[in-house]
Amino acid sequence: MTLAVEYQSDILVIGSGAAGLTLALHLAEKSSVILLSKGPLAEGSTFYAQGGIASVFDEDDTIESHVDDTLIAGAGLCDKAVVTYTAENAKASMQWLINCGVDFDKEETTGDQSKAPYHLTREGGHSHRRILHSADATGKAVQTTLQQRALNHPNIQVLERYNAIDLITSKKLGRPGNRVLGAYVWNRNQERVETVTAKFVALATGGSSKVYQYTSNPDIASGDGIAMAWRAGCRVANMEFNQFHPTCLYHAEAKNFLLTEALRGEGAYLRRPDGTRFMPEFDERAELAPRDVVARAIDYEMKRLGSDCVYLDISHKPADFIIKHFPTIYKRCLALGIDITKSPIPAVPAAHYTCGGVMTDLHGQTDLNGLYAVGEVAYTGLHGANRLASNSLLECLVFARAASQDIESQLQKIKMPTNVPVWDESKVSNSDEEVVIAHNWHELRLFMWDYVGIVRTDKRLERALRRCMMLQQEIQEYYSNFRVSNNLLELRNLVQVAELIIRCAMERKESRGLHYNLDYPKQLDDPQPTILQPTS
């Protein structure tokens, strides 16, 4: 008989991107932390983030302008207090990153280069240059710097290739009150379920774009934290607002490769297959319009023309400029036979960012005592109906810092949970029907793309919900009878998140931001967040 493996820590952080690493590093100064990484430590959305991080560093820029740009992009659904809080705390959070050793690009100078001002780029929806970046691989610079510090920190224990299965709560165990006590986790290395108990748990699991057939996200983005929090009784909000990045590389060998917003910020044009531009016909801001506007324009042109893609063209800029500012994209495209200094890049929209999520306050606290949610997994009110470019990594930094301060203030008052039962596998067996998981997986992602994608209708949403509920029933029956696996856990979470997206979309009787319904093309006068409450 295999002995049950148990871990104990002051804080369990589930997720190892910018949000999880920032939170862990802040908390580790005064407490013990277990950091759970679903795959290899670097395999998350942060690592692949290209553009940069928005923050007011230019003397001609203002916090008020950053706030205004965020509110405009959010299309009337941002919480202004949250937006202001984020913009006001952006520079301090960025300074912490710089102190950690993240190397952001600076302007070239003939004097002391170390004292040169940061090179700030501009992206769609921003009225000023305020994006700090590390060439076109900012996320990689952030991820590698922070993970190295975490791996070397004596108070942080990193568990790689571990899936969180479900949160352990006092309510689930029939105990008084309702507080999170830890989580059951799937050790993919040993293929066994283990138990982690903790005073506090933080979800930093990222978004759920893997629910769609085409996505810019890595494979781990399966909505795990959102689904777990929902099952534990937490409210979710604004799940109908899924950001589709307008420009991902369209190539058979280029899975998930993003073409950063900064390309358009630095003057790239979107062109039809015949070479003509089309964005000026859709919006006066042309290529610098917010992502929802650009994605819908591309979707419209592709469907109108029956084209597989459109083209992103920066070849009119000097070759040296292109290679210096976009070395990652230049090398990747060149390896596929596309020289971006001479030719346009084939591009298509793809699911990119989940603007809704688990509801939290300004400290990242959810509805469940002791449970925090930080980063893309959370709904803070920052993004509203559409995320402004380069506010995503910023949200991770600002709210991880806020959550760490809130947790630290309570740490000595909370006792470590005891007598938490281990996982019971006595009534399940090994599966001999893995094909069921593969089939359901493909069906889910296909109907979500077709029915709950960039443009929606009531009929499409109704069809999607019917299929979703049938899949849920099949998957739950499978989950109840067989031992867990990585694919089963992800599919179980994805189908739950799909239902939440569909139900939120069905409740919004208007078109706003990232949610466009042909049956309700106009906007309501008094828009409100779409909030879903678990029934049990």
Side-chain angles (χ1 to χ4, degrees), residues 18 21-22 25 96-97 100 141-150:
L21 287 166
T22 301
L25 287 166
W96 177 80
L97 261 192
C100 283
V142 171
Q143 179 73 32
T144 53
T145 301
L146 296 186
Q147 74 180 33
Q148 196 57 46
R149 293 177 73 90

Side-chain angles (χ1 to χ4, degrees), residues 478-498:
Y478 193 99
Y479 178 79
S480 301
N481 289 292
F482 298 111
R483 288 194 174 91
V484 298
S485 66
N486 178 61
N487 287 344
L488 175 58
L489 292 172
E490 287 191 338
L491 181 59
R492 177 180 178 235
N493 290 332
L494 279 173
V495 76
Q496 178 60 78
V497 169

Side-chain angles (χ1 to χ4, degrees), residues 234-237 357-361 365-367 373 378-380 531-532:
C234 296
R235 291 172 299 163
V236 301
V358 184
M359 292 188 72
T360 74
D361 62 14
Q365 170 72 55
T366 70
D367 293 332
Y379 165 78
T380 60
I531 299 172
L532 300 182

Side-chain angles (χ1 to χ4, degrees), residues 402-525:
S404 71
Q405 293 167 352
D406 198 55
I407 291 171
E408 280 180 2
S409 71
Q410 306 173 61
L411 204 55
Q412 301 309 315
K413 306 172 192 174
I414 304 299
K415 294 181 179 179
M416 188 68 71
T418 57
N419 300 319
V420 174
V422 296
W423 185 261
D424 181 9
E425 282 193 333
S426 62
K427 297 178 182 179
V428 296
S429 61
N430 289 321
S431 168
D432 59 356
E433 290 290 338
E434 284 287 323
V435 67
V436 174
I437 295 178
H439 178 81
N440 288 352
W441 188 288
H442 292 307
E443 183 181 349
L444 172 67
R445 299 180 74 198
L446 183 60
F447 75 64
M448 285 297 291
W449 182 263
D450 288 341
Y451 297 151
V452 200
I454 295 172
V455 176
R456 302 157 180 179
T457 66
D458 280 355
K459 280 190 176 181
R460 292 177 192 173
L461 295 174
E462 288 165 6
R463 287 171 183 155
L465 185 61
R466 282 197 302 271
R467 283 160 174 75
C468 188
M469 300 313 291
M470 288 172 60
L471 279 183
Q472 270 198 358
Q473 188 174 350
E474 282 187 28
I475 294 162
Q476 186 55 41
E477 182 180 339
Y478 193 99
Y479 178 79
S480 301
N481 289 292
F482 298 111
R483 288 194 174 91
V484 298
S485 66
N486 178 61
N487 287 344
L488 175 58
L489 292 172
E490 287 191 338
L491 181 59
R492 177 180 178 235
N493 290 332
L494 279 173
V495 76
Q496 178 60 78
V497 169
E499 182 198 349
L500 298 176
I501 293 171
I502 297 163
R503 290 197 185 280
C504 282
M506 292 177 84
E507 286 201 15
R508 186 161 295 283
K509 306 300 184 184
E510 63 166 349
S511 288
R512 182 177 298 274
L514 301 166
H515 172 76
Y516 193 83
N517 189 327
L518 291 173
D519 294 316
Y520 304 99
K522 296 182 180 179
Q523 293 189 349
L524 297 175
D525 294 334

Side-chain angles (χ1 to χ4, degrees), residues 38-101:
K38 186 173 168 184
L41 197 54
E43 185 60 21
S45 293
T46 294
F47 184 84
Y48 297 100
Q50 294 176 353
I53 308 173
S55 182
V56 174
F57 271 69
D58 191 332
E59 292 180 358
D60 295 329
D61 195 6
T62 64
I63 288 172
E64 290 75 21
S65 178
H66 188 184
V67 169
D68 287 345
D69 290 345
T70 303
L71 293 175
I72 291 168
L77 275 181
C78 296
D79 183 326
K80 187 175 181 180
V82 173
V83 175
T84 303
Y85 176 85
T86 305
E88 287 177 345
N89 285 277
K91 193 167 186 177
S93 297
M94 292 301 294
Q95 191 58 56
W96 177 80
L97 261 192
I98 293 165
N99 294 342
C100 283

Side-chain angles (χ1 to χ4, degrees), residues 227-514:
M228 285 191 294
W230 175 260
R231 290 194 293 266
C234 296
R235 291 172 299 163
V236 301
N238 279 15
M239 291 296 293
E240 70 270 38
F241 297 116
N242 302 276
Q243 189 175 78
F244 290 83
H245 197 288
T247 52
C248 284
L249 180 59
Y250 180 73
H251 193 283
E253 298 175 28
K255 181 183 177 184
N256 302 347
F257 191 77
L258 191 70
L259 299 170
T260 175
E261 190 99 8
L263 280 161
R264 284 179 284 126
E266 294 296 346
Y269 297 133
L270 281 163
R271 302 186 186 276
R272 301 181 180 97
D274 67 2
T276 58
R277 289 178 66 193
F278 57 88
M279 277 311 302
E281 299 168 24
F282 288 87
D283 193 285
E284 62 183 13
R285 294 163 289 188
E287 280 80 5
L288 289 177
R291 289 176 178 177
D292 60 319
V293 176
V294 180
R296 276 199 303 276
I298 294 173
D299 183 69
Y300 177 86
E301 286 296 309
M302 285 173 58
K303 287 175 178 173
R304 183 178 72 85
L305 297 171
S307 173
D308 291 331
C309 64
V310 293
Y311 293 86
L312 187 63
D313 186 10
I314 198 169
S315 62
H316 51 279
K317 292 283 186 177
D320 290 348
F321 174 88
I322 296 170
I323 295 169
K324 177 186 176 183
H325 286 278
F326 305 105
T328 306
I329 295 172
Y330 174 74
K331 290 175 185 175
R332 183 72 178 110
C333 289
L334 200 60
L336 297 171
I338 305 165
D339 184 346
I340 68 172
T341 66
K342 300 176 181 177
S343 305
I345 313 166
V348 291
H352 180 61
Y353 192 85
T354 306
C355 287
V358 184
M359 292 188 72
T360 74
D361 62 14
L362 270 176
H363 307 292
Q365 170 72 55
T366 70
D367 293 332
L368 178 60
N369 289 333
L371 179 67
Y372 290 73
V374 182
E376 192 176 352
V377 68
Y379 165 78
T380 60
L382 173 62
H383 304 307
N386 186 18
R387 175 177 70 87
L388 181 65
S390 288
N391 270 353
S392 53
L393 289 176
L394 177 62
E395 181 184 38
C396 293
L397 301 171
V398 169
F399 284 90
R401 190 163 168 246
S404 71
Q405 293 167 352
D406 198 55
I407 291 171
E408 280 180 2
S409 71
Q410 306 173 61
L411 204 55
Q412 301 309 315
K413 306 172 192 174
I414 304 299
K415 294 181 179 179
M416 188 68 71
T418 57
N419 300 319
V420 174
V422 296
W423 185 261
D424 181 9
E425 282 193 333
S426 62
K427 297 178 182 179
V428 296
S429 61
N430 289 321
S431 168
D432 59 356
E433 290 290 338
E434 284 287 323
V435 67
V436 174
I437 295 178
H439 178 81
N440 288 352
W441 188 288
H442 292 307
E443 183 181 349
L444 172 67
R445 299 180 74 198
L446 183 60
F447 75 64
M448 285 297 291
W449 182 263
D450 288 341
Y451 297 151
V452 200
I454 295 172
V455 176
R456 302 157 180 179
T457 66
D458 280 355
K459 280 190 176 181
R460 292 177 192 173
L461 295 174
E462 288 165 6
R463 287 171 183 155
L465 185 61
R466 282 197 302 271
R467 283 160 174 75
C468 188
M469 300 313 291
M470 288 172 60
L471 279 183
Q472 270 198 358
Q473 188 174 350
E474 282 187 28
I475 294 162
Q476 186 55 41
E477 182 180 339
Y478 193 99
Y479 178 79
S480 301
N481 289 292
F482 298 111
R483 288 194 174 91
V484 298
S485 66
N486 178 61
N487 287 344
L488 175 58
L489 292 172
E490 287 191 338
L491 181 59
R492 177 180 178 235
N493 290 332
L494 279 173
V495 76
Q496 178 60 78
V497 169
E499 182 198 349
L500 298 176
I501 293 171
I502 297 163
R503 290 197 185 280
C504 282
M506 292 177 84
E507 286 201 15
R508 186 161 295 283
K509 306 300 184 184
E510 63 166 349
S511 288
R512 182 177 298 274
L514 301 166

